[in-house]
Amino acid sequence: MYQCIKRKGISFCYDCTDFPCDYLHPYADQADQRTHNTKVFNSCLIKKMGLEKWAEEKAHKVKETYFKGKIKLND
């Protein structure tokens, strides 16, 4: 995904006219290991709310809800 947004000269997937696309396609059989579903969902929220508001109101819940301490994120 990073190479795609870099090539298109955008900052986030939700800025793309093709959003959502197959690069964000979920892996249902590996949902516990791959977080693509959360990427699509949160990208939709960011597009709707704006990045700053999403960061203030929702970002902390992503860590709490989906990662449950399995992945260390910068606070």
Side-chain angles (χ1 to χ4, degrees), residues 34-46:
R34 299 182 185 259
T35 59
H36 291 329
N37 288 340
T38 61
K39 289 178 186 177
V40 174
F41 176 73
N42 283 296
S43 290
C44 289
L45 284 179
I46 291 167

Side-chain angles (χ1 to χ4, degrees), residues 11-25:
S11 298
F12 297 96
C13 291
Y14 66 78
D15 289 327
C16 183
T17 57
D18 295 326
F19 175 79
C21 72
D22 284 340
Y23 285 118
L24 298 171
H25 192 278

Side-chain angles (χ1 to χ4, degrees), residues 1 23-43 62-63 65-68 70-71 73:
M1 290 177 291
Y23 285 118
L24 298 171
H25 192 278
Y27 294 87
D29 62 333
Q30 299 176 17
D32 63 330
Q33 300 166 6
R34 299 182 185 259
T35 59
H36 291 329
N37 288 340
T38 61
K39 289 178 186 177
V40 174
F41 176 73
N42 283 296
S43 290
V62 173
K63 181 178 177 183
T65 303
Y66 296 101
F67 298 111
K68 299 186 191 306
K70 293 179 185 175
I71 297 174
L73 300 175

